[in-house]
Amino acid sequence: MAWREKSKKRLNMTSFNIAQGIHAFDYHSRLNLIATAGINNKVCLWNPYVVSKPVGVLWGHSASVIAVQFFVERKQLFSFSKDKVLRLWDIQHQLSIQRIACSFPKSQDFRCLFHFDEAHGRLFISFNNQLALLAMKSEASKRVKSHEKAVTCVLYNSILKQVISSDTGSTVSFWMIDTGQKIKQFTGCHGNAEISTMALDANETRLLTGSTDGTVKIWDFNGYCHHTLNVGQDGAVDISQILILKKKILVTGWERAITVFRPQNFNQFFIQPEEWKGGIQHHDDILCAAFLPPQTLVTGSYDGEIVLWNNSTENAHHVLHPDYQRLLKSKLDTKPQKLLSAGRSQPSHPMADHSTTGVRNFEIDTEGKNAVMRLCFLKARKNTAVTGGANLVSCGGSGYVRFWDIYKKQLLAEFLAHSGVGSIIMSTDKMNRYLTTGDLDGWLKIWNIEEYCLNSSKNKITKAPTLIRSFQPHEDRISSLEMCEPGGQLLIISSSADCSICVTGVCNAPVWIFGQAKHWHIENCLFLPKRDTNLVESEIQKEISLFSKEESCLDPTEHSLLNKKNKDDSTYNVRPSEDINLDIKYKERSTCMKETQKPYYGEVIKKSFSTFRSLNIGALEELPEVNKPAFLLDPEKYFRKEPEEERPQILEAPSLFKTLKAVFDEKNLFPKEILHHERKAKQLCQEKSCEVKKNKK
């Protein structure tokens, strides 16, 4: 070992000997430790300045150790032995915390190369001509999961008012937008292959799913597959978008040509692709496409080029790029060249002749800095052909959003929406008032573009539109965005690689997760009751300014609602619901706004990756002096016993029993008097009769 001291130019050198030798070693600069893979089955930890003996010995391998590497961030160490046993050690406690064996290629004599990619959590081990890859599992989070695996696409069915989502496990789920309840799900749609994208037909009665197995399947909502489109010609391809037009289905993503299917020829179950008349006009793989009636089609590629097509003739006529634009001359009499090899390894020039507006040397963008990930027409701006202004939006590499005028073939505006995060995706509402962008870190931003780039200008605009809201609804890459208006309420639906699907409003609205235990009622949660309009507008402006200054971050620890696994693996999995009423009066809302938003991640806190990132710590406000109430100052006045006052005696009313008895007694008086008079009359009669008898005698 050698090192140079600050004041000296010469190197100081030292050395230490190990009895049986070592196969490999690694150095941890933060802990200042050297780990050696010993032939004697031991892993030794050395201090570079103490060469007499190791500061620690890790015991556990039963064969000689052939590779070691530090896990710098966690202060751990990997070691691999000749008997193909991998161990992970805790350096501080010098204990083996994990052992992995029996999962490597079976070979007796092998030469091993060992590398751990700490940034992505991947471990590579070579065995002669074989390479083994071990990927670290992400730590279990308390965050609610909508799917078991990463969500790849999300759609909204306006007729059924349902959200449709897909994942890498080839599962399609259906959710109620009003409550977040799962209705049903289709499992194994493409076997074990990942579903990369989806699309709905014009009537929203058929669902198209594109998979990495090279097929696109057409389903009804009962889970029946009507057709299978053989996109990849029996090979695996990466499908990025399915665009459904009136008489065509276009599929893009893995090559420089457009793959087309014509529904009028769907006579069989398996459908083969047909020829695209315009041939190949892109230098690199086509990643996205968009259509503007009556016949304008645009496609964006990995190198940043946007090609304008006539959908009726299927011929390209112009190419747009952030750095240049050129005109294409179509040749209808020449047959388009067949694509032999696609990909970024052979970026050949287009076959059609072209004339450039200005001399330019074509340089292929191999890093994808200008890659066009999404294209979106601003269809609500119907008079741009006359008045000018932007009618096409693109986004992608390096986090930029660009506004184009396709009639004048001009780039009108360009601004950085997300910095330092790579490529982004976007979505807009039907009225083109708002633009939503999402990045690889799970951050979502909502922009007001209603008054943005309405007029043409010679100079390119670099100022960003008004930022309404910036927050982080996901912990990983946002894979899909959808904006919808059920019942006139504008909602943003986002899916992510963190297995969750979120829905929220434009302004300061809570964030709900599909699959959470408590269901919601959107009509009761997004809008306030009618009251003073001036007061409402002032509060909304305060909330908008608050979100434009600070970025809100979701806290998975605050939401302890765990997503229970559905054990039923049948085609339709219906989950029972337990609805709750989230209706809150406005008076209660003003005092309990934070409490109502906590379960739905509505807190505004700074972005942080620490353990206590959920805490919002601020300075405590000083309380004003509080005067004691009167009942504390003069308790006798309020709590003394009052003397009992003499009250007049109130005669009690006679009871019902006495009343009835008196009545019956009065009724019995009359018969007694009658009997008394009768007796007297009888006595008088008897006396008279006796006198009469005496007189007779």
Side-chain angles (χ1 to χ4, degrees):
M1 295 176 293
W3 68 94
R4 176 181 282 111
E5 295 181 358
K6 294 182 180 179
S7 58
K8 298 180 181 179
K9 294 182 179 181
R10 295 184 59 185
L11 291 174
N12 294 330
M13 300 181 64
T14 184
S15 62
F16 57 90
N17 298 321
I18 300 173
Q20 298 180 11
I22 62 172
H23 282 115
F25 68 92
D26 193 23
Y27 175 61
H28 195 306
S29 58
R30 297 182 187 175
L31 298 178
N32 199 24
L33 285 177
I34 297 174
T36 57
I39 297 176
N40 57 358
N41 308 348
K42 294 185 293 185
V43 177
C44 295
L45 302 175
W46 302 83
N47 186 329
Y49 303 105
V50 180
V51 297
S52 58
K53 62 178 182 179
V55 295
V57 179
L58 306 180
W59 300 82
H61 284 287
S62 57
S64 61
V65 187
I66 57 177
V68 288
Q69 185 170 347
F70 281 104
F71 191 166
V72 178
E73 190 66 29
R74 297 190 181 182
K75 298 180 181 179
Q76 295 173 353
L77 177 71
F78 286 103
S79 63
F80 189 68
S81 58
K82 268 194 172 180
D83 56 355
K84 298 175 185 175
V85 174
L86 176 68
R87 286 186 179 271
L88 180 63
W89 306 84
D90 184 279
I91 299 174
Q92 183 177 1
H93 299 93
Q94 298 185 13
L95 294 174
S96 176
I97 59 178
Q98 191 172 3
R99 179 183 182 273
I100 302 175
C102 303
S103 59
F104 302 105
K106 296 179 180 179
S107 57
Q108 296 296 331
D109 298 327
F110 63 91
R111 184 170 181 264
C112 173
L113 294 176
F114 191 91
H115 174 69
F116 176 60
D117 181 9
E118 189 168 337
H120 301 90
R122 295 174 179 176
L123 180 64
F124 298 90
I125 307 176
S126 68
F127 299 88
N128 295 333
N129 62 341
Q130 292 180 310
L131 182 65
L133 169 62
L134 285 80
M136 293 182 62
K137 250 188 177 181
S138 57
E139 294 182 358
S141 173
K142 292 183 179 180
R143 180 182 177 85
V144 176
K145 292 184 178 180
S146 308
H147 282 252
E148 292 297 322
K149 295 187 177 180
V151 186
T152 55
C153 185
V154 65
L155 299 173
Y156 177 69
N157 189 316
S158 59
I159 297 176
L160 301 177
K161 292 186 177 181
Q162 295 177 4
V163 174
I164 308 171
S165 58
S166 63
D167 62 16
T168 57
S170 199
T171 299
V172 177
S173 299
F174 295 79
W175 313 81
M176 291 295 295
I177 186 66
D178 295 331
T179 62
Q181 176 188 357
K182 182 191 285 187
I183 304 169
K184 58 187 174 182
Q185 70 178 18
F186 306 153
T187 58
C189 296
H190 290 263
N192 296 324
E194 170 187 340
I195 297 176
S196 57
T197 187
M198 298 190 298
L200 288 170
D201 67 345
N203 299 323
E204 299 186 9
T205 58
R206 292 288 185 268
L207 175 67
L208 282 74
T209 58
S211 173
T212 54
D213 62 1
T215 62
V216 172
K217 293 186 178 182
I218 303 176
W219 308 81
D220 59 22
F221 294 144
N222 294 321
Y224 179 75
C225 181
H226 292 266
H227 299 284
T228 297
L229 312 183
N230 189 9
V231 176
Q233 301 290 317
D234 300 325
V237 296
D238 186 12
I239 301 173
S240 62
Q241 186 176 354
I242 303 170
L243 183 61
I244 303 176
L245 305 179
K246 191 174 183 179
K247 296 181 180 180
K248 300 172 186 175
I249 298 177
L250 307 181
V251 187
T252 62
W254 70 99
E255 62 181 6
R256 294 179 288 123
I258 299 174
T259 303
V260 60
F261 296 87
R262 308 183 197 279
Q264 60 266 26
N265 299 331
F266 284 11
N267 301 323
Q268 299 177 353
F269 181 78
F270 291 99
I271 310 297
Q272 301 299 327
E274 300 186 26
E275 182 184 34
W276 179 257
K277 299 176 183 178
I280 302 172
Q281 300 294 343
H282 280 279
H283 291 159
D284 215 327
D285 295 347
I286 301 174
L287 302 180
C288 58
F291 178 73
L292 178 66
Q295 58 187 14
T296 303
L297 174 70
V298 294
T299 54
S301 60
Y302 186 81
D303 59 359
E305 286 191 343
I306 299 174
V307 177
L308 278 62
W309 306 78
N310 185 313
N311 184 55
S312 301
T313 62
E314 298 183 3
N315 289 320
H317 56 83
H318 219 94
V319 175
L320 302 177
H321 190 274
D323 300 328
Y324 62 92
Q325 58 100 8
R326 70 177 189 270
L327 179 67
L328 297 175
K329 294 181 180 180
S330 61
K331 291 185 178 181
L332 300 177
D333 55 343
T334 59
K335 187 177 180 180
Q337 180 179 340
K338 187 177 180 180
L339 181 63
L340 299 176
S341 60
R344 299 173 187 86
S345 58
Q346 296 180 0
S348 59
H349 291 273
M351 280 64 65
D353 294 337
H354 60 271
S355 60
T356 60
T357 57
V359 179
R360 180 188 178 275
N361 295 324
F362 294 101
E363 295 180 0
I364 304 304
D365 180 17
T366 57
E367 297 181 1
K369 293 181 179 180
N370 295 318
V372 183
M373 304 300 297
R374 293 288 190 277
L375 285 168
C376 181
F377 275 109
L378 303 178
K379 297 180 181 179
R381 302 183 180 185
K382 298 181 180 180
N383 297 324
T384 52
V386 180
T387 61
N391 57 354
L392 176 67
V393 186
S394 67
C395 74
S398 302
Y400 277 89
V401 176
R402 296 179 174 92
F403 284 72
W404 305 82
D405 184 352
I406 62 169
Y407 297 111
K408 294 184 178 180
K409 314 299 184 297
Q410 183 182 2
L411 175 61
L412 297 182
E414 177 185 65
F415 67 92
L416 182 62
H418 299 256
S419 60
V421 292
S423 63
I424 62 174
I425 61 173
M426 68 176 180
S427 179
T428 182
D429 63 313
K430 290 184 179 180
M431 299 304 297
N432 303 139
R433 294 170 296 174
Y434 303 101
L435 179 73
T436 306
T437 57
D439 62 24
L440 300 178
D441 290 337
W443 284 85
L444 192 145
K445 295 184 179 182
I446 304 173
W447 312 83
N448 186 349
I449 61 169
E450 190 172 8
E451 303 292 332
Y452 192 71
C453 283
L454 293 179
N455 301 313
S456 299
S457 61
K458 295 182 179 180
N459 298 325
K460 182 174 64 177
I461 300 173
T462 57
K463 183 181 179 181
T466 303
L467 178 62
I468 297 178
R469 189 178 179 189
S470 177
F471 59 107
Q472 188 184 21
H474 298 282
E475 296 176 347
D476 205 339
R477 172 180 59 90
I478 295 179
S479 57
S480 180
L481 287 172
E482 186 84 359
M483 297 187 75
C484 59
E485 295 187 31
Q489 302 172 359
L490 185 58
L491 300 176
I492 296 100
I493 307 170
S494 59
S495 65
S496 171
D498 65 359
C499 307
S500 68
I501 307 166
C502 294
V503 60
T504 185
V506 174
C507 295
N508 187 10
V511 178
W512 298 282
I513 302 178
F514 288 92
Q516 66 185 34
K518 294 183 180 180
H519 298 147
W520 57 78
H521 292 285
I522 285 185
E523 65 274 6
N524 297 335
C525 299
L526 288 184
F527 293 94
L528 305 178
K530 292 183 179 179
R531 59 185 185 90
D532 188 359
T533 56
N534 295 330
L535 188 59
V536 173
E537 291 179 359
S538 63
E539 288 198 359
I540 291 176
Q541 291 298 329
K542 289 180 181 179
E543 291 175 350
I544 293 175
S545 62
L546 178 64
F547 271 94
S548 64
K549 293 179 180 178
E550 300 185 27
E551 294 182 336
S552 65
C553 176
L554 295 189
D555 173 30
T557 61
E558 289 185 3
H559 199 338
S560 61
L561 300 175
L562 297 177
N563 184 21
K564 297 181 180 179
K565 293 184 179 179
N566 196 338
K567 297 181 180 179
D568 185 10
D569 292 331
S570 59
T571 305
Y572 302 94
N573 294 332
V574 182
R575 175 174 180 161
S577 65
E578 182 182 355
D579 294 349
I580 62 168
N581 189 0
L582 300 180
D583 189 12
I584 300 175
K585 296 180 180 179
Y586 179 74
K587 291 182 179 179
E588 297 175 358
R589 178 188 179 276
S590 61
T591 57
C592 305
M593 185 165 57
K594 291 186 178 180
E595 283 76 7
T596 56
Q597 290 184 2
K598 268 188 179 179
Y600 304 104
Y601 307 135
E603 284 288 297
V604 181
I605 49 182
K606 293 184 178 180
K607 181 177 179 181
S608 174
F609 296 97
S610 63
T611 306
F612 304 100
R613 63 178 179 178
S614 64
L615 299 180
N616 185 10
I617 302 175
L620 295 176
E621 296 181 358
E622 294 183 0
L623 295 176
E625 294 183 0
V626 180
N627 297 325
K628 290 185 178 181
F631 67 83
L632 290 178
L633 298 175
D634 190 6
E636 294 182 359
K637 180 180 179 181
Y638 293 90
F639 301 106
R640 66 185 178 185
K641 294 183 179 180
E642 296 182 359
E644 296 182 357
E645 297 179 357
E646 295 183 359
R647 298 179 181 177
Q649 294 183 355
I650 301 174
L651 298 177
E652 295 182 358
S655 63
L656 180 62
F657 173 74
K658 294 180 179 180
T659 305
L660 294 176
K661 185 178 179 182
V663 171
F664 284 107
D665 288 344
E666 290 176 358
K667 289 182 180 180
N668 293 335
L669 289 174
F670 183 69
K672 288 180 181 179
E673 292 177 354
I674 293 174
L675 291 174
H676 178 66
H677 290 294
E678 284 182 353
R679 288 172 184 172
K680 285 185 177 182
K682 285 181 180 181
Q683 289 178 1
L684 290 173
C685 288
Q686 289 178 359
E687 290 177 357
K688 286 181 180 182
S689 63
C690 291
E691 289 178 357
V692 171
K693 286 179 180 180
K694 287 179 180 181
N695 292 331
K696 283 181 178 180
K697 290 178 178 180

